[in-house]
Amino acid sequence: MSRYTGPRIKIVRRLGLLPGLTQKFSNRTTTPGQHGVDLSKTIQQPLLRNEYSFRLFQRQRLRFHYGVTERQLMSYYREAKRCQGSTGNLLLELLESRFDSTIFRLGFAPTIPAARQLINHGHFKINGKRVTIPSFLCQPGDKISIKENSKVKSQIQNFFNLLQERRNGILKRMEEARRTDIKIAVLIPNHLTVDPVTLEAKVIKRVQRNDIPLFVNELKVVEHYSR
């Protein structure tokens, strides 16, 4: 199955908000199609009539958020299954450790597809070496920087500054409401650090499940592939 390149808002209407896929959202309350179901008048996920549909729904959310193909997702599942630990958490850790996912979480790109394009064009380096493979898995200790003569460095800076303003606004409202336990998708996760001036980032530790603000039941994805 090839990577999806169709209308993204259609996927958002069917699967819910996917910040990795697109920042757009739809005002429509019905699912796609001529006979779409009105979600505002029914229970959440009204089309999930059985357990198989629910597992398939969770798998689709995971696949479209990270922009991977079915074959890639299956490969990550097999890799997570070989490792010691929770297969679901390890699967999310592998997907979140991808280079394009890391660039997106740092705020250098508005979406994962945009981060993948920047990586393919060779605008980023890892440990001083240019890496053009979006599926490269970042390890603790890796240092990420922007290529010195990159023509889109100012654009990346604008992306980061815009997201930084959103982060500061959210943190301020969270402090006013005294809610410091909520995970927000636009906040930098604990396993990453970035210098706002030089835009040099570093992976300081392995990603944890609590640092992944994606509403998905990874155990159902594991059940889907292990059936």
Side-chain angles (χ1 to χ4, degrees):
M1 184 181 297
S2 60
R3 183 173 285 110
Y4 179 79
T5 58
R8 300 176 184 177
I9 199 68
K10 187 175 182 180
I11 301 299
V12 171
R13 288 175 59 194
R14 177 161 59 90
L15 300 178
L17 294 178
L18 298 172
L21 177 65
T22 179
Q23 297 295 326
K24 298 179 180 179
F25 62 92
S26 176
N27 294 326
R28 298 184 182 182
T29 59
T30 58
T31 56
Q34 181 180 2
H35 305 289
V37 179
D38 192 348
L39 298 178
S40 63
K41 298 180 181 179
T42 56
I43 305 176
Q44 289 184 350
Q45 303 171 3
L47 301 180
L48 309 183
R49 299 184 180 93
N50 52 52
E51 187 68 18
Y52 174 78
S53 298
F54 184 71
R55 293 196 299 263
L56 184 63
F57 181 87
Q58 299 299 326
R59 189 205 71 176
Q60 293 294 82
R61 279 188 59 84
L62 201 64
R63 190 171 74 85
F64 281 105
H65 173 77
Y66 288 103
V68 296
T69 63
E70 178 63 24
R71 180 177 295 181
Q72 286 177 312
L73 189 57
M74 174 66 79
S75 177
Y76 285 125
Y77 162 74
R78 290 172 179 170
E79 179 65 25
K81 190 176 181 180
R82 285 194 295 266
C83 300
Q84 186 177 3
S86 173
T87 303
N89 291 344
L90 291 172
L91 175 61
L92 289 179
E93 179 182 335
L94 289 172
L95 292 170
E96 195 71 18
S97 299
R98 284 171 55 96
F99 195 18
D100 52 1
S101 300
T102 303
I103 293 297
F104 165 69
R105 296 297 300 278
L106 287 170
F108 294 165
T111 61
I112 292 181
R116 185 179 300 114
Q117 184 181 35
L118 292 174
I119 294 171
N120 287 331
H121 293 176
H123 294 292
F124 293 102
K125 290 183 176 182
I126 295 182
N127 298 327
K129 297 182 180 180
R130 188 174 66 171
V131 177
T132 59
I133 303 175
S135 60
F136 178 86
L137 296 181
C138 298
Q139 303 295 333
D142 287 346
K143 297 181 180 180
I144 302 172
S145 58
I146 304 175
K147 187 180 177 182
E148 293 79 5
N149 56 350
S150 175
K151 296 181 180 180
V152 298
K153 188 172 183 178
S154 59
Q155 184 179 1
I156 297 174
Q157 182 74 58
N158 292 335
F159 286 144
F160 181 81
N161 292 340
L162 180 61
L163 194 59
Q164 191 71 6
E165 293 178 1
R166 293 176 58 189
R167 289 168 179 156
N168 295 334
I170 291 175
L171 289 175
K172 183 177 180 181
R173 291 193 294 270
M174 289 174 62
E175 291 177 357
E176 293 175 352
R178 297 181 180 179
R179 297 299 301 272
T180 58
D181 57 330
I182 302 177
K183 298 294 182 180
I184 307 298
V186 297
L187 300 180
I188 295 181
N190 295 326
H191 70 286
L192 298 173
T193 181
V194 58
D195 188 338
V197 178
T198 62
L199 294 185
E200 293 182 355
K202 184 178 181 180
V203 182
I204 56 178
K205 62 179 182 179
R206 294 176 57 181
V207 60
Q208 302 295 325
R209 179 63 181 94
N210 295 334
D211 296 328
I212 305 176
L214 178 64
F215 296 100
V216 63
N217 191 336
E218 62 275 10
L219 297 180
K220 294 300 179 180
V221 180
V222 174
E223 291 178 6
H224 176 81
Y225 285 121
S226 61
R227 69 185 188 281

